[in-house]
Amino acid sequence: MVRGYLLGAGLNGALGVAMGAWAAHGLQATLPAPAIEWIKTGAAYQLWHAAALLGLAALVAHRPTRLLAWAGLGLCVGALVFAGALYLYALAGLGWAVALAPVGGLLMIGGWLAVILAAIRFRPLA
């Protein structure tokens, strides 16, 4: 589980930085302003969720739970789907990709709700 969180954090973090930098420095002349903003939004979500996955990895290393496993899956896959949908739409104009963004958003929300449930169920070690 920890390895998966670290891989997910690394993947989302690397893609988030790369896409954000490309949007800020390489795409200004080729894409309209709204498309640049979609890419920046996707990159921001990926970077925030990469950081969250690092925090989950640290927690799970000491206290693995099923809820935290679901949380990590939701945060990682959700960020990839959400950002990927925005990237596909901005870069390739694939209208169907926009329909995937809410799916990614729901996965991220589900991940955060699993974190809340894990907190409610948390019992300190004696």
Side-chain angles (χ1 to χ4, degrees), residues 2-16:
V2 172
R3 179 179 287 160
Y5 291 163
L6 294 174
L7 288 169
L11 180 60
N12 275 297
L15 283 171

Side-chain angles (χ1 to χ4, degrees), residues 2 20 27 58 81 93 101-102 104 109 113 124:
V2 172
L27 293 174
V81 170
I109 291 168
L113 291 174

Side-chain angles (χ1 to χ4, degrees), residues 5 49 53 68-80 103-112:
Y5 291 163
H49 285 80
L53 285 165
L68 292 178
W70 283 108
L73 185 64
L75 296 179
C76 182
V77 174
L80 288 168
V103 173
L106 287 172
L107 287 168
M108 290 184 287
I109 291 168
W112 287 112

Side-chain angles (χ1 to χ4, degrees), residues 18-85:
M19 294 303 288
W22 194 27
H25 304 292
L27 293 174
Q28 301 293 335
T30 59
L31 289 180
I36 300 288
E37 289 304 312
W38 296 327
I39 293 172
K40 288 181 178 181
T41 298
Y45 273 80
Q46 282 194 290
L47 290 170
W48 282 109
H49 285 80
L53 285 165
L54 288 176
L56 274 177
L59 179 60
V60 167
H62 297 288
R63 298 281 299 269
T65 70
R66 186 169 300 191
L67 279 171
L68 292 178
W70 283 108
L73 185 64
L75 296 179
C76 182
V77 174
L80 288 168
V81 170
F82 178 79

Side-chain angles (χ1 to χ4, degrees), residues 96-122:
W96 60 264
V98 175
L100 293 177
V103 173
L106 287 172
L107 287 168
M108 290 184 287
I109 291 168
W112 287 112
L113 291 174
V115 169
I116 292 168
L117 288 173
I120 291 169
R121 291 184 176 181
F122 180 78

